[in-house]
Amino acid sequence: MNSEAVTVLGSTGSVGENTLDVISRNPGRYRVTALTAHRNVERLAEQCVRFDVQLAVIADPALENELYSALKVLGANAAVMSGQAGLVAAAGLSEVDIVMAAIVGAAGLKPTLRAAETGKKVLLANKESLVIAGDVFVKTARINGARVLPVDSEHNAIFQAMPGGFEEGLEQAGVEKIILTASGGPFLNTPTAQLSQVTPAQACKHPNWDMGRKISVDSATLMNKGLELIEARWLFNAHPGQLEVLIHPQSIVHSMVAYRDGSVLAQLGNPDMRTPIAHALAWPERIEAGVERLNLAQESDLSFCPPDFDRFPCLGLAFEAMRAGESAPVTLNAANEIAVEAFLDERIAFTRIGSLVSEVMQCLEVSAINNLDDVLMHDKLARSKAMELVK
Ligand SMILES: NC(=O)c1ccc[n+]([C@@H]2O[C@H](COP(=O)([O-])OP(=O)(O)OC[C@H]3O[C@@H](n4cnc5c(N)ncnc54)[C@H](OP(=O)(O)O)[C@@H]3O)[C@@H](O)[C@H]2O)c1
């Protein structure tokens, strides 16, 4: 079997590192061609040496020389690029077969879209791309023959629970409902009165998953589940009424699909991102992921309950944005990115995240999205409104 060439966008992050771990457990099957990071020059350079890559990209242009020097010291052969142009180049390299899209936030949109434009197998972790530009992204992938495989554990689970495919539509596949499970995050049982006092460190300490800081805060507010609803809407061509959220604190059932005949198919596993990463990398085959095996005899307590929308207002806002469509999810996402950054910098309280997103959504009217420029314009508008409110 010929090895497949892989670009990892966001290789220094949690999903990026896990991807390289899975690749290293399957020698000869993949070769890593390009890696990208935002500012972590040291880690990126180490990875470039370890995987002998051809292209290293640092998103912050001010660090290009530093990366060049770091690679030279380590004796690496990689060419160096920077900025959005570098990220887009890494995503579209003609010799690359697979692109892991694991940049966090809307910053991942253009390179992820480039991977779709160039017909790659796109392993999609960067949910924000679909949240803000779902229609543009799905059409671009379809026109260019790109195969989009979900890496988010819930969407990967849903994909696995539809073994007959869903290309002809959910109706045709007999699907009644898609049920996304949510752990509820670190504050599932914290008294509501204490939520305004929680710190970034507490919010980033997820009970089951080890993830980057932004998605950890999103998991604590349940905005992550809201973004996932919108992601699922585009990935599976679902209408809002077909999507539900169920709290499942143990994170063993990663999501479910309910069928017309009463069957419910679920995918289970220990909470370790290497399972969905390995699944998407090798699909339709199965490869070693280094994941601890699930022992259901030790999981005596698998519980489920509906979400509490008063405790987690961000989930309600995301449902609202999904139903409104057009620019509403762009506004939701941009305002959330600004609010989460402000919370992580200790400029606003945890509970202000939801109210700030809500205020930005109320201020900005929902308008039509026809192309990428419309997306970028609304993203910018919502960011500046959110920044004004943070001040
Ligand atoms: N972590 C998980 O378990 C998980 C699960 C499901 C889905 N996801 C999704 O996967 C994506 C990545 O999450 P993560 O947890 O891996 O994030 P992370 O640990 O924060 O890593 C983010 C990666 O993106 C790079 N990056 C950050 N800002 C950038 C920018 N402006 N331009 C270019 N690159 C940038 C970072 O580089 P530096 O290291 O240099 O900052 C890093 O390589 C997110 O969309 C998240 O929602 C994550």
Side-chain angles (χ1 to χ4, degrees), residues 9-16 18 36-41 58-59 84 87 101-105 107 125-128 151-154 209-215 224 228 273:
L9 302 169
S11 62
T12 49
S14 163
V15 173
N18 277 316
T36 83
H38 185 211
R39 298 207 174 104
N40 194 345
V41 167
I58 192 84
Q84 274 282 328
L87 298 174
I103 290 174
V104 61
N126 176 243
K127 67 192 81 185
E128 294 89 346
V151 169
D152 226 341
S153 59
E154 294 75 4
W209 296 96
D210 183 10
M211 309 182 286
R213 282 162 67 79
K214 192 258 177 184
I215 185 177
N224 182 50
E228 287 177 6
M273 281 307 290

Side-chain angles (χ1 to χ4, degrees), residues 250 252 295-303:
Q250 297 80 18
I252 296 294
N295 181 349
L296 278 176
Q298 283 177 357
E299 301 288 342
S300 55
D301 180 25
L302 294 185
S303 55

Side-chain angles (χ1 to χ4, degrees), residues 255-276:
S255 277
M256 299 176 246
V257 178
Y259 288 87
R260 190 179 291 144
D261 62 3
S263 301
V264 177
L265 300 197
Q267 185 260 354
L268 283 70
N270 277 319
D272 187 325
M273 281 307 290
R274 290 175 299 177
T275 294

Side-chain angles (χ1 to χ4, degrees), residues 14 101 118 122 169 198 230 282 335 369:
S14 163
T118 47
V122 185
V198 302
I230 304 171
I369 295 285

Side-chain angles (χ1 to χ4, degrees), residues 3 19-31 278 281-282 286-290:
S3 65
T19 304
L20 294 176
D21 182 84
V22 174
I23 287 176
S24 64
R25 288 171 191 275
N26 293 275
R29 188 165 178 132
Y30 304 102
R31 57 187 194 285
L281 261 174
R286 299 270 178 178
I287 56 173
E288 180 51 53

Side-chain angles (χ1 to χ4, degrees), residues 178-314:
I178 290 177
I179 304 155
L180 288 114
T181 50
S183 69
F187 307 133
L188 181 62
N189 300 311
T190 306
T192 322
Q194 287 174 21
L195 288 177
S196 61
Q197 306 301 323
V198 302
T199 64
Q202 289 170 319
C204 288
K205 205 168 177 331
H206 196 280
N208 308 330
W209 296 96
D210 183 10
M211 309 182 286
R213 282 162 67 79
K214 192 258 177 184
I215 185 177
S216 296
V217 176
D218 285 348
S219 298
T221 60
L222 249 68
M223 179 60 93
N224 182 50
K225 209 49 54 185
L227 299 177
E228 287 177 6
L229 280 170
I230 304 171
E231 181 186 10
R233 181 247 173 285
W234 290 110
L235 271 175
F236 305 112
N237 196 14
H239 61 76
Q242 288 172 309
L243 295 164
E244 267 184 31
V245 172
L246 198 56
I247 300 292
H248 167 49
Q250 297 80 18
S251 299
I252 296 294
V253 175
H254 297 305
S255 277
M256 299 176 246
V257 178
Y259 288 87
R260 190 179 291 144
D261 62 3
S263 301
V264 177
L265 300 197
Q267 185 260 354
L268 283 70
N270 277 319
D272 187 325
M273 281 307 290
R274 290 175 299 177
T275 294
I277 290 169
H279 176 267
L281 261 174
W283 181 85
E285 292 171 31
R286 299 270 178 178
I287 56 173
E288 180 51 53
V291 174
E292 195 187 325
R293 301 303 187 254
L294 179 62
N295 181 349
L296 278 176
Q298 283 177 357
E299 301 288 342
S300 55
D301 180 25
L302 294 185
S303 55
F304 302 88
C305 67
D308 175 347
F309 286 89
D310 293 331
R311 172 184 286 269
F312 298 113
C314 288

